[in-house]
C-alpha cells in the first residue's frame, strides 16, 4: 500500500491557507502555532484513489471553533483574502460543547474553497458504562489515532511534512490486507461506543474488506449486544443501516449482521418491554435472492433469463433498489402477528414489521408507509401471482385477448390499490415467499411465477396503471345521473376506471359513463 498522497489543486490551496493561518496564530500571540493534520476517512480514501470533498482537520492545541475564528480574522486582514480564491470561507457553524451530543469540545463545520471542512482538536476520550458519549480532553496525535473505530480510519496526513502518519502501526498494513481491525482491544472499543460495530460493518461492506476475527468475536458478545441496545440512539442506528443499504455492497453488510447474530439487536421493537425475536433461520435466502436479482442481465448472472423480468420491472431506479434492501431487512418480521388494539374500539396497531422499522431504525414516514402498504397487500399480490395462469390463459395470443379483458380490469384496479410503490410491495411478497419456501426447487417455482406475473403486467401494459388518468370524472357522472355527489361517487369512479382498464382501446368518456349507468344497481341508486 502506497503511503503518499497526491493533492488536487483545490486541496493544495486549502493546505496553504490552513498553514498560513497556523503561522498567523503563532506570530500574532494568539497561542502556540498549532500542528495541523487531515484525519480519518479523507486519508483512507485518498490512499485508495477515491476523491473526497469532506475533510476533517485535526488541530493540536486549540478548539476547532477558536481556530476557525482566527482564520476568519486572518482572512479579514487586507490582502490576505485575495491570496486565495473568492468566496474562500463560508459561514462558521459552531457545534457547542454539549455532553448530551457527545461534543464536549467546540468544533466547527464550514465550507472552505469549495470543500466541506470540519475543524476539530486532537483529543482523547474517557467513557462511562451508561453512555457512548465520552468525556473529551485535548490529546496527542497518538491518543487521537487510538480512539478511532478502525486502524484504516486512524491515518493522518501531516500538512507541514506532507507525509502520511500511521500512529497505530497497523493502518497501512491493514489497508494492504483489506482488513478491518480496531486500534485497541475490540471488546473495549465496542463496549465504549457500540456504534463502532455498525461502522465497522459498513466499512467492510463499502470497501469489500474482511473484519478481524477478534473484532468479530467481540461483536457477537452478549454484553456488547446489550451495550448496543442501551447506549446507541436509534436515529444513529438508522443512519448507519441506511448508509449500508445505499452503499456498493449491501449484501455483505446484511450477511455480517446475520452471521454475527446481530439481527434482533438491531431490528427490534424498542417500545416493547419484553421484545420478541424474529426467526432469522431463512433470512439469508431472502437477501441472497435479492442480490441475484440485482445482477440479472450482467455477466455475473447465470439465471438472467428467469430473473430479468423481475429486475427490469421492479428495480428500475436507485430508490427502488434502496427500498428493496430496506424491505428485505424486515422480512423476518412480516409474518409475526400484531397484538390486539390497546383500547376498546381502537384501530389495530400497525404490522409488527412497520413498528420495527419505525422504532428500531427511526425510518421516516415515507418508508414506514411503503412498508405498511406492502405488508397489507402482500397476500393479495401472492393470490394474483398464483392465479395468472387462469386469469390470462392465452397470454401471447393477441386474437384471443378479449377473453382476458375482465382480468385486465380487475388486475389494474388491484394495482391501483397497491399504490405508487406497488413495485416495492411485489418485491416484499417475492422475498417473503422465497424465505418461506421449503427448498431450492420450491424457490425456483416461486421465482418463475413472479417472473411470469411481471411479464404479463408488461404485456398487458399495466405497469403504469396506477398513473393512468381517468377518462371519467365526478362532474360527468353527476350530470349524467342527475344526482348530487355522495357516498356513491367513489364506487362509481372505480367502475369507470375498471371499464377504462378493461377496454384500453376505448377513449370516449361517454362509454365510461354509460358503463356506470348500466351498473347503477351496484351503487344502490335504483
Amino acid at each position: 500500500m502506497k503511503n503518499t498522497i497526491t493533492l488536487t489543486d483545490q486541496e493544495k490551496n486549502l493546505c496553504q491557507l490552513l498553514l498560513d493561518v497556523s503561522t498567523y496564530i503563532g506570530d500574532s500571540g494568539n497561542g502556540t502555532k498549532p500542528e495541523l493534520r487531515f484525519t480519518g476517512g479523507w486519508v483512507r480514501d485518498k490512499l485508495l484513489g477515491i476523491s473526497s470533498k469532506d475533510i476533517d482537520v485535526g488541530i493540536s492545541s486549540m478548539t476547532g471553533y477558536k481556530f476557525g475564528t482566527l482564520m476568519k480574522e486572518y482572512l479579514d486582514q487586507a490582502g490576505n483574502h485575495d491570496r486565495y480564491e473568492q468566496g474562500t470561507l463560508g459561514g462558521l457553524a459552531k457545534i457547542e460543547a454539549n455532553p448530551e451530543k457527545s461534543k464536549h469540545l467546540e468544533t466547527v463545520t464550514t465550507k472552505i474553497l469549495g470543500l466541506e471542512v470540519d475543524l476539530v482538536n486532537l483529543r482523547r476520550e474517557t467513557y462511562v458504562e451508561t453512555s457512548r458519549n465520552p468525556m473529551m480532553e485535548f490529546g496527542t496525535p497518538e491518543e487521537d489515532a487510538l480512539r478511532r473505530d478502525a486502524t484504516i480510519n486512524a491515518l493522518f496526513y501531516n500538512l507541514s511534512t506532507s507525509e502520511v502518519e500511521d500512529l497505530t502501526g497497523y493502518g497501512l498494513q491493514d489497508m494492504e490486507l483489506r482488513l478491518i481491525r480496531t486500534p485497541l482491544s475490540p471488546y473495549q472499543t465496542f463496549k465504549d461506543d457500540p456504534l463502532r460495530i455498525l461502522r465497522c460493518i459498513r466499512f467492510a461492506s463499502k470497501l469489500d474488506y474482511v473484519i478481524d476475527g477478534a473484532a468479530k468475536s467481540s461483536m457477537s458478545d452478549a454484553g456488547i449486544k446489550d451495550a448496543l441496545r442501551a447506549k446507541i440512539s436509534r436515529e444513529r442506528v438508522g443512519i448507519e443501516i441506511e448508509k449500508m443499504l445505499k452503499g456498493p455492497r449491501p449484501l455483505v453488510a446484511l450477511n455480517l449482521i446475520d452471521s454475527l447474530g446481530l439481527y434482533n439487536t438491531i431490528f427490534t421493537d424498542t417500545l416493547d418491554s419484553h421484545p420478541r425475536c424474529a426467526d432469522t433461520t431463512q433470512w439469508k435466502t431472502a437477501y441472497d435472492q435479492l442480490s441475484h436479482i440485482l445482477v440479472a442481465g450482467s455477466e455475473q448472472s447465470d439465471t438472467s433469463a428467469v430473473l430479468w423480468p423481475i429486475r427490469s420491472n421492479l428495480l428500475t431506479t436507485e430508490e427502488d433498489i434502496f427500498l428493496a434492501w430496506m424491505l428485505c431487512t424486515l422480512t423476518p418480521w412480516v409474518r409475526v402477528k400484531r397484538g390486539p388494539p390497546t383500547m376498546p374500539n381502537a384501530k389495530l396497531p400497525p404490522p409488527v414489521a412497520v413498528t420495527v422499522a419505525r422504532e428500531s431504525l427511526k425510518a421516516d414516514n415515507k418508508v414506514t408507509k411503503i412498508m405498511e402498504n406492502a405488508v397489507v397487500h402482500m397476500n393479495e399480490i401472492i393470490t394474483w401471482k398464483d392465479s395468472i395462469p387462469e386469469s390470462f390463459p392465452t397470454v401471447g395470443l393477441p386474437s384471443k385477448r378479449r377473453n382476458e379483458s375482465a382480468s385486465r380490469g380487475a388486475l389494474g384496479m388491484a394495482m391501483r390499490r397497491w399504490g405508487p410503490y406497488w413495485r416495492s410491495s411485489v418485491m416484499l411478497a417475492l422475498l417473503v415467499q422465497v424465505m418461506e419456501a421449503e427448498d431450492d426447487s420450491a424457490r425456483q417455482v416461486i421465482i418463475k411465477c413472479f417472473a411470469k406475473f411481471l411479464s404479463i403486467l408488461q404485456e398487458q401494459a399495466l405497469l403504469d396503471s396506477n398513473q393512468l388518468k381517468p377518462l371519467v370524472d365526478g362532474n360527468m357522472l353527476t350530470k349524467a345521473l342527475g344526482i348530487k355527489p355522495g357516498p356513491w361517487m367513489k364506487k362509481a369512479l372505480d367502475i369507470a376506471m375498471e371499464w377504462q382498464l378493461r377496454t384500453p382501446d376505448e377513449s370516449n368518456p361517454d362509454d365510461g359513463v354509460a358503463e356506470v349507468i348500466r351498473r347503477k344497481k351496484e351503487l344502490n341508486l335504483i
Side-chain angles (χ1 to χ4, degrees):
M1 173 58 62
K2 67 177 183 178
N3 61 355
T4 58
I5 286 178
T6 302
L7 301 179
T8 65
D9 289 343
Q10 192 179 29
E11 290 163 346
K12 289 177 182 176
N13 208 11
L14 174 63
C15 283
Q16 189 58 58
L17 168 60
L18 294 173
L19 289 171
D20 289 346
V21 173
S22 177
T23 299
Y24 167 75
I25 291 170
D27 292 346
S28 63
N30 283 301
T32 303
K33 177 182 178 181
E35 296 178 359
L36 303 174
R37 293 169 171 84
F38 291 163
T39 67
W42 179 89
V43 182
R44 178 201 67 228
D45 287 348
K46 290 291 286 189
L47 290 171
L48 291 171
I50 302 171
S51 63
S52 177
K53 295 290 186 180
D54 297 326
I55 302 179
D56 292 346
V57 180
I59 305 162
S60 65
S61 56
M62 63 179 58
T63 67
Y65 184 69
K66 184 174 181 181
F67 185 89
T69 301
L70 291 170
M71 176 164 54
K72 187 174 186 305
E73 180 181 294
Y74 166 78
L75 290 170
D76 285 342
Q77 293 188 2
N80 284 347
H81 191 280
D82 295 337
R83 294 176 58 192
Y84 312 97
E85 57 185 55
Q86 293 298 312
T88 301
L89 182 64
L92 296 178
K94 178 181 178 182
I95 303 174
E96 300 281 359
N98 184 346
E100 294 303 315
K101 298 297 183 182
S102 190
K103 299 291 185 183
H104 296 265
L105 292 167
E106 295 169 340
T107 66
V108 154
T109 179
T110 187
K111 194 163 189 174
I112 308 175
L113 301 172
L115 297 166
E116 297 293 335
V117 177
D118 280 351
L119 303 172
V120 60
N121 58 279
L122 299 175
R123 58 193 189 270
R124 62 187 178 93
E125 300 173 341
T126 304
Y127 287 85
V128 295
E129 284 289 322
T130 56
S131 174
R132 67 170 286 267
N133 295 330
M135 295 300 298
M136 295 185 187
E137 302 173 273
F138 283 97
T140 65
E142 291 79 6
E143 289 171 330
D144 194 90
L146 291 172
R147 72 177 179 81
R148 295 175 180 266
D149 49 17
T151 57
I152 63 168
N153 295 332
L155 297 166
F156 297 157
Y157 176 79
N158 190 308
L159 271 62
S160 296
T161 65
S162 301
E163 293 179 349
V164 173
E165 298 174 336
D166 184 3
L167 301 178
T168 70
Y170 291 100
L172 293 171
Q173 171 187 308
D174 289 346
M175 289 188 70
E176 188 75 37
L177 295 172
R178 304 177 68 83
L179 183 68
I180 302 293
R181 182 196 337 228
T182 59
L184 298 174
S185 154
Y187 182 88
Q188 196 59 49
T189 296
F190 299 140
K191 189 71 178 293
D192 287 343
D193 184 357
L195 187 67
R196 290 168 176 159
I197 296 171
L198 301 184
R199 286 176 54 82
C200 285
I201 290 173
R202 173 162 64 86
F203 287 121
S205 66
K206 175 183 177 179
L207 302 172
D208 200 19
Y209 282 18
V210 297
I211 297 177
D212 171 66
K216 289 173 74 171
S217 295
S218 294
M219 288 177 176
S220 299
D221 182 88
I224 296 297
K225 292 179 185 178
D226 288 342
L228 179 56
R229 289 190 192 93
K231 296 174 72 171
I232 306 302
S233 76
R234 285 292 154 172
E235 288 84 359
R236 296 303 301 271
V237 172
I239 289 169
E240 288 298 323
I241 294 297
E242 181 173 338
K243 287 180 179 179
M244 292 177 201
L245 301 184
K246 288 183 175 179
R249 298 174 190 84
L251 177 67
V252 173
L254 298 191
N255 192 46
L256 283 167
I257 288 170
D258 193 10
S259 63
L260 293 170
L262 291 168
Y263 183 87
N264 282 297
T265 302
I266 296 170
F267 303 99
T268 184
D269 181 1
T270 58
L271 297 181
D272 193 339
S273 56
H274 301 287
R276 291 175 284 181
C277 288
D279 180 2
T280 59
T281 308
Q282 296 300 318
W283 184 40
K284 180 175 172 58
T285 61
Y287 58 73
D288 280 348
Q289 187 64 69
L290 178 54
S291 178
H292 291 152
I293 292 169
L294 282 165
V295 298
S298 72
E299 295 180 357
Q300 305 171 50
S301 176
D302 55 2
T303 56
S304 288
V306 175
L307 297 178
W308 183 246
I310 300 171
R311 173 69 171 89
S312 60
N313 289 310
L314 294 187
L315 302 171
T316 61
T317 67
E318 289 298 316
E319 183 183 36
D320 287 338
I321 294 170
F322 166 67
L323 289 171
W325 282 115
M326 178 61 80
L327 294 176
C328 186
T329 66
L330 297 160
T331 49
W333 286 106
V334 168
R335 295 290 195 186
V336 178
K337 293 184 178 180
R338 49 185 158 183
T342 55
M343 298 178 63
N345 302 319
K347 292 194 305 183
L348 278 172
V352 176
V354 176
T355 301
V356 171
R358 186 182 63 231
E359 300 304 330
S360 69
L361 305 179
K362 295 301 179 185
D364 61 29
N365 289 338
K366 179 179 178 179
V367 169
T368 54
K369 186 63 178 176
I370 290 170
M371 183 75 211
E372 183 168 13
N373 195 60
V375 175
V376 167
H377 293 295
M378 182 176 67
N379 289 333
E380 183 184 16
I381 290 169
I382 291 170
T383 299
W384 265 108
K385 178 264 300 182
D386 292 339
S387 71
I388 281 297
E390 292 76 30
S391 301
F392 296 89
T394 59
V395 66
L397 303 175
S399 63
K400 297 183 180 180
R401 281 190 191 154
R402 285 176 296 177
N403 298 327
E404 298 169 357
S405 62
S407 294
R408 186 185 192 279
L411 179 53
M413 291 302 291
M415 293 182 67
R416 289 177 71 87
R417 286 193 299 274
W418 302 342
Y421 287 91
W422 67 267
R423 289 178 170 84
S424 296
S425 297
V426 174
M427 180 56 72
L428 178 71
L430 183 155
L431 294 175
V432 169
Q433 281 216 295
V434 163
M435 191 174 67
E436 294 176 343
E438 292 183 358
D439 52 35
D440 285 340
S441 177
R443 278 188 277 276
Q444 291 310 308
V445 171
I446 290 166
I447 290 297
K448 288 178 181 178
C449 286
F450 271 101
K452 184 173 183 180
F453 173 58
L454 290 162
S455 295
I456 289 176
L457 291 182
Q458 186 174 29
E459 183 171 324
Q460 293 287 326
L462 284 170
L463 293 173
D464 297 319
S465 57
N466 65 298
Q467 300 176 19
L468 188 63
K469 184 178 180 180
L471 291 174
V472 177
D473 62 31
N475 289 332
M476 296 177 189
L477 294 177
T478 54
K479 183 178 179 180
L481 293 169
I483 303 172
K484 291 182 179 180
W488 59 272
M489 181 63 77
K490 182 181 184 304
K491 175 66 174 174
L493 290 172
D494 284 346
I495 290 172
M497 177 53 69
E498 189 274 335
W499 163 83
Q500 186 175 337
L501 287 161
R502 178 162 35 90
T503 57
D505 296 330
E506 299 292 335
S507 59
N508 187 347
D510 291 342
D511 293 334
V513 173
E515 175 72 5
V516 174
I517 293 173
R518 185 179 69 81
R519 296 168 61 180
K520 279 175 63 176
K521 190 174 181 180
E522 296 177 36
L523 305 177
N524 296 318
L525 296 180
I526 297 178

